[in-house]
Amino acid sequence: MTERLYYADPYRTHFRARLVEAQPTGDRLAVVLDRSAFYPTGGGQPHDIGTLAGYPVLEVVERADSAIVHMLPAGSVLPEGELEGVIDWPRRFDHMQQHTGQHILSQALVQLFQADTVGFHLSQSYSTIDLNRNDLGEEEIARGEALANQIVFEDRPVSWRWVNAEEARQLPLRKPPAVHDHIRIVHIEGFDWSACGGTHVARTGAVGIIKVTHVERRGAETRLTFLCGGRALQHYTALHTLTSRMARQLTVAVEELPEVVQRLQDEARRERKAREQLQGALIEHEAAALMSQALQIGTVRVIAQRLTGRAPQEVRQLASRITAHPGSVVLFGLAPGSEVEPAGRSKGQLFFARAENVTGDMRALLQEVCREVGGSGGGSSTMAQGGCDATRLTEALERAQTLLRQWLAS
Ligand SMILES: [Zn+2]
């Protein structure tokens, strides 16, 4: 069992220790010392990094026999006797801020709402706690956050000591300890008592600030994502940069952004509506022009036209505008516009439609034409749509007219 130096002093970054074992495992060397200041992954907190005898410590894990195993690159050559360990302080301190912040936030939510923390995870860029309630609203979370920050600003001492099971029972622990004896208690003066083996700051002021950034309901639980200290500052800086840039782009003050965005949205909506109206008028105009060129076949007016580079939705709109007139049939072939079509692909589309009072099945007509020119399609008896090679569109339209003539004659 390794003596854990971080228990007594989490601020200790340098230590000397004796080598107990060094085992090559895969591409790593697993090193055990008689004592270590390296925190191994556990209790929701990731491991420390740093150096051992000058070699980088890649990972630190706890073995079943309670030994702390330091993973070094394979081929590391350790000296005889004592070696020096150095903890990466920015990462350790960041973990201390997040972990202490978690104790404070969890206790604040217990005191205000009896919401117990049932899960904690400290990841590379954010931390989460899972609460055993799913009915806390925005306002409650904000009150919890405010109380937590009040405790931070009061700069209360944080201390740790070992107790036995009997002593632990006398303390108002936030949750029952995972071990039964020799229990490590982390105490935030007058506020929170927790059984915890992690690393914490010595005074709450060092947590800096606690900010909840996301709330997510998960069944009967709620997951809060939060940032403390340096992470909260980074987040604030990123948001400040972002909002300032947006405000500069729109030449307004940051505070005016919501109002300006709303105005831009309203404007865009009005313009979209105006464009749709104009488009409608254009389609109307185009429909009238096409109808003036209609072929009269018996009692039916046939509008056969090859179009290029139009949006299919617009072509359908044009077709229905024309077939709203009794006695009309539309045969459209749509060739892709050269500038919009990806190289090597040239697919044409066919749109056949008829007015309600014209007899004949447009889907059957389309399928018959497609059989002859190669292609496929479907739809209803009044409106059918399909595709064929763009080079055969003209042939398809001619074929459709011939078939239509035969149908109407029979
Ligand atoms: Zn802790």
Side-chain angles (χ1 to χ4, degrees), residues 111-140:
Q111 291 197 2
L112 291 174
F113 312 111
Q114 297 79 48
D116 288 323
T117 294
V118 292
F120 165 52
H121 184 69
L122 203 176
S123 78
Q124 196 96 41
S125 50
Y126 59 86
S127 304
T128 59
I129 52 173
D130 294 327
L131 303 174
N132 67 345
R133 288 182 62 160
N134 63 0
D135 56 348
L136 296 182
E138 220 171 277
E139 195 190 319
E140 280 90 4

Side-chain angles (χ1 to χ4, degrees), residues 72-208:
L72 270 51
S76 301
V77 183
L78 299 176
E80 295 289 320
E82 285 200 327
L83 29 141
E84 191 187 32
V86 181
I87 305 295
D88 179 281
W89 175 244
R91 176 173 160 111
R92 158 66 69 82
F93 183 64
D94 168 55
H95 291 167
M96 286 159 67
Q97 281 189 319
Q98 310 312 315
H99 198 145
T100 311
Q102 179 261 310
H103 284 226
I104 299 171
L105 184 60
S106 288
Q107 178 62 252
L109 293 162
V110 168
Q111 291 197 2
L112 291 174
F113 312 111
Q114 297 79 48
D116 288 323
T117 294
V118 292
F120 165 52
H121 184 69
L122 203 176
S123 78
Q124 196 96 41
S125 50
Y126 59 86
S127 304
T128 59
I129 52 173
D130 294 327
L131 303 174
N132 67 345
R133 288 182 62 160
N134 63 0
D135 56 348
L136 296 182
E138 220 171 277
E139 195 190 319
E140 280 90 4
I141 303 292
R143 279 176 58 203
E145 184 187 272
L147 174 57
N149 280 293
Q150 184 195 316
I151 299 299
V152 171
F153 302 154
E154 285 169 5
D155 196 25
R156 297 190 186 204
V158 181
S159 58
W160 32 87
R161 66 192 165 98
W162 295 93
V163 300
N164 60 32
E166 183 48 37
E167 290 166 307
R169 266 193 289 279
Q170 311 298 316
L171 295 170
L173 293 182
R174 191 151 36 78
K175 61 176 188 177
V179 287
H180 300 297
D181 212 355
H182 200 58
I183 303 156
R184 186 169 183 261
I185 303 296
V186 175
H187 175 205
I188 295 166
E189 199 175 79
F191 186 66
D192 182 61
W193 289 258
S194 292
C196 184
T199 56
H200 308 80
V201 295
R203 299 188 74 92
T204 59
V207 174

Side-chain angles (χ1 to χ4, degrees), residues 14 57 93 98 161 367 394:
H14 290 68
V57 175
F93 183 64
Q98 310 312 315
R161 66 192 165 98
Q367 285 171 345
T394 309

Side-chain angles (χ1 to χ4, degrees), residues 262-302:
Q262 181 67 58
R263 207 175 62 219
L264 288 174
Q265 279 179 331
D266 291 346
E267 255 173 49
R269 205 171 296 125
R270 275 198 302 276
E271 272 169 26
R272 196 162 52 238
K273 220 168 164 182
R275 195 181 58 231
E276 278 165 12
Q277 274 171 358
L278 276 172
Q279 228 159 26
L282 268 174
I283 296 267
E284 193 74 54
H285 185 78
E286 192 179 6
L290 285 171
M291 284 186 57
S292 70
Q293 301 162 22
L295 280 168
Q296 195 74 33
I297 303 178
T299 56
V300 171
R301 284 185 298 170
V302 178

